[in-house]
Amino acid sequence: MLFFPPTALYEELRLKLEEYELLLKDSLASVIKSGIEDEVIRTEPVEDLVTAFLCAADGVMMQIHYVSDESFKQTAETMWRMFWFGISV
């Protein structure tokens, strides 16, 4: 539905998704800011860290449709380990 929405619903779906994404980004930014303040996350622009996380998560979530459950679990764990390695202090 997100990749190929019906033409008649495209704009409505886009606006809803945009609204949801703003809420998600705000929530993630809050968590990341706390991590920076607690000195467990590197001091980087919060918006960059949010974007990096969402891109990594989007990639992993695409995998759920194409691979076995075990492979998906391994991919998700690897993504998180590497992502955390990159942002942690």
Side-chain angles (χ1 to χ4, degrees):
M1 182 82 144
L2 292 175
F3 291 116
F4 305 106
T7 304
L9 297 176
Y10 175 80
E11 189 61 20
E12 182 180 348
L13 289 171
R14 189 190 65 75
L15 291 172
K16 289 287 186 188
L17 184 58
E18 190 175 281
E19 183 181 316
Y20 167 74
E21 189 170 287
L22 288 174
L23 292 172
L24 179 59
K25 284 181 176 182
D26 286 346
S27 294
L28 287 170
S30 177
V31 171
I32 289 170
K33 286 176 188 174
S34 292
I36 291 170
E37 290 169 7
D38 293 343
E39 298 180 351
V40 294
I41 295 177
R42 294 173 29 177
T43 302
E44 297 288 337
V46 173
E47 297 80 13
D48 291 354
L49 293 169
V50 168
T51 297
F53 176 79
L54 289 174
C55 287
D58 283 348
V60 169
M61 295 311 290
M62 286 298 296
Q63 293 280 315
I64 201 168
H65 299 288
Y66 302 111
V67 299
S68 68
D69 289 347
E70 185 58 36
S71 182
F72 172 75
K73 181 180 178 190
Q74 184 177 15
T75 297
E77 288 173 357
T78 299
M79 183 285 295
W80 178 250
R81 186 179 70 251
M82 297 310 297
F83 181 79
W84 185 249
F85 177 78
I87 71 166
S88 65
V89 174

